[in-house]
Amino acid sequence: MKKYYILLLFPFLLASCKSQFDALLSSNDADAKYKAAFEYFNNKKYQKASQLFESLSALTSGTARDDTVQFYWGLSNYRYKDFYTAETNFTKFLTNYPMSPFSDEARFLRIDCLFRSTLRYELDQTPTRTAIASINQYLSEVPEDDIHREACGKMLEDLEGRLDRKAYEAARLYYKMEDYKASRVAFRNILKDDSENIFREDILYYTAMSSYNYAFHSVASKRKERYLTFVDDYLNFIGENPESKYRKELDVMYKRALKALGRYTGTDKELEAKSREFERERRQIERAESKKNETSGKKAK
């Protein structure tokens, strides 16, 4: 019998243990819920604040409080780092209340949510392109002295850098696979689509190296025309980057190409000495870049 009575009392015991927050969440008392939502927000309990603002939005719809509730619903999710939901909140808010006192801040926070929801360059860059388009639209609409312009500029630099790197690494993959014909086409296409790619110097270097290696591994009857293509790529590279870290390596490749074309006037001994010198410097560059990448990786973690 005792067990029977305990089972009967159990639901009542559970109801009596219902938390104050749960009671507020299910309440229809708009004033109490509004006050509590801001208390949770001010105490940095953003998840609970967002739940209360969400629940409150049904009670304040069509009232003078509605834009405040909707804005702080989004801001609570933003502070809680739920950027996907916050961006949805701010988009809805701006649709419903474009002239609200909160609208200027909501426009920027929506942009920031899009930026924070983007992915590493190795992954799908659709969110990156969406964010870039939205930031550019925002910048075209706000005045020149807008306080968020500098932050938006930094976002654009970051996002465009990711797109540049994704294109660069995709082309470099062909080079690593030793598909030199495809890698040269891929590198040239990058600059055709985006001449200001931040990896421009590296792209021009790999374009030249792709054409050299393609010529070197070609059948004898095709080498001449392909070495001439390399010569064009080499001259294009040094014309833009005369002091480049890649200059000595490409100079050696250039002399080898001239020798293959019967136009090299130096001796084989001089060419071999230059080759050994380049090999030493190339290893130094590779070690320095490897160390730099390791440091960057540690910082990213």
Side-chain angles (χ1 to χ4, degrees), residues 40 43 120 156 163 168 173 191 194 217 233 250 257:
Y40 279 113
N43 287 315
R120 301 191 315 271
L156 280 177
L163 294 182
Y168 167 68
L173 185 59
L191 296 184
D194 177 20
H217 292 95
D233 291 339
L250 288 177

Side-chain angles (χ1 to χ4, degrees), residues 78 90 94 103-113 138 146 148-149 151-152 155:
Y78 177 84
F90 290 131
L94 290 167
S103 62
D104 287 345
E105 189 65 14
R107 284 190 188 95
F108 173 72
L109 290 175
R110 175 181 171 272
I111 294 295
D112 197 40
C113 288
Y138 174 85
D146 184 82
H148 299 304
R149 290 190 77 90
C152 286
M155 290 181 199

Side-chain angles (χ1 to χ4, degrees), residues 31-228:
D31 290 335
K33 190 175 286 190
Y34 187 85
K35 180 182 177 182
F38 275 102
E39 286 177 355
Y40 279 113
F41 182 87
N42 291 331
N43 287 315
K44 300 183 179 181
K45 296 181 179 179
Y46 300 120
Q47 185 181 28
K48 288 187 174 181
S50 70
Q51 289 177 277
L52 285 173
F53 283 121
E54 179 180 7
S55 176
L56 189 58
S57 65
L59 302 175
T60 59
S61 180
T63 71
R65 287 178 170 177
D66 195 33
D67 68 325
T68 302
V69 168
Q70 286 201 31
F71 174 74
Y72 276 92
W73 178 12
L75 189 58
S76 296
N77 282 316
Y78 177 84
R79 296 278 178 84
Y80 187 60
K81 301 187 186 302
D82 182 357
F83 300 116
Y84 179 82
T85 304
E87 190 273 326
T88 302
N89 292 146
F90 290 131
T91 299
K92 180 181 177 183
F93 168 82
L94 290 167
T95 300
N96 293 336
Y97 297 102
M99 304 305 293
S100 167
F102 301 112
S103 62
D104 287 345
E105 189 65 14
R107 284 190 188 95
F108 173 72
L109 290 175
R110 175 181 171 272
I111 294 295
D112 197 40
C113 288
L114 289 171
F115 171 73
R116 292 173 186 272
S117 299
T118 54
L119 307 172
R120 301 191 315 271
Y121 81 88
E122 303 98 324
L123 304 176
D124 179 32
Q125 292 303 297
T126 301
T128 298
R129 293 184 179 89
T130 299
I132 288 173
S134 296
I135 294 169
N136 282 325
Q137 182 179 353
Y138 174 85
L139 290 174
S140 71
E141 295 172 349
V142 298
E144 288 296 322
D145 60 350
D146 184 82
I147 60 172
H148 299 304
R149 290 190 77 90
E150 184 178 352
C152 286
K154 290 179 179 178
M155 290 181 199
L156 280 177
E157 185 178 353
D158 183 300
L159 296 172
E160 289 169 351
R162 285 185 226 177
L163 294 182
D164 285 357
R165 185 170 182 184
K166 189 174 183 71
Y168 167 68
E169 294 293 352
R172 203 156 72 106
L173 185 59
Y174 287 114
Y175 187 85
K176 290 178 180 178
M177 294 168 60
E178 300 182 1
D179 187 346
Y180 300 118
K181 182 179 180 181
S183 68
R184 183 176 185 273
V185 170
F187 283 120
R188 284 172 61 83
N189 283 340
I190 293 173
L191 296 184
K192 183 179 178 181
D193 295 335
D194 177 20
S195 62
E196 296 182 0
N197 188 292
I198 61 173
F199 296 96
R200 183 178 176 88
E201 180 183 344
D202 302 87
I203 290 167
L204 290 172
Y205 160 74
Y206 278 110
T207 300
M209 288 300 294
S210 296
S211 58
Y212 176 84
N213 282 296
Y214 185 49
F216 181 79
H217 292 95
S218 295
V219 295
S221 61
K222 296 286 186 181
R223 282 180 193 154
K224 181 177 180 180
E225 64 178 285
R226 291 173 183 173
Y227 274 126
L228 288 171

Side-chain angles (χ1 to χ4, degrees), residues 1-10:
M1 287 296 289
K2 285 182 179 180
K3 289 181 179 179
Y4 176 74
Y5 284 121
I6 289 171
L7 287 172
L8 285 176
L9 288 170
F10 189 66

Side-chain angles (χ1 to χ4, degrees), residues 217-271:
H217 292 95
S218 295
V219 295
S221 61
K222 296 286 186 181
R223 282 180 193 154
K224 181 177 180 180
E225 64 178 285
R226 291 173 183 173
Y227 274 126
L228 288 171
T229 299
F230 162 73
V231 169
D232 286 341
D233 291 339
Y234 165 81
L235 294 173
N236 186 36
F237 178 88
I238 64 169
E240 279 196 28
N241 308 282
E243 304 299 326
S244 171
K245 64 183 178 181
Y246 299 123
R247 176 66 188 267
K248 288 187 177 180
E249 177 181 7
L250 288 177
D251 284 349
V252 172
M253 300 299 110
Y254 176 60
K255 289 172 182 176
R256 288 177 180 172
L258 291 181
K259 182 180 179 182
L261 292 166
R263 300 180 184 178
Y264 181 63
T265 57
T267 65
D268 289 347
K269 187 175 181 181
E270 288 173 340
L271 184 56

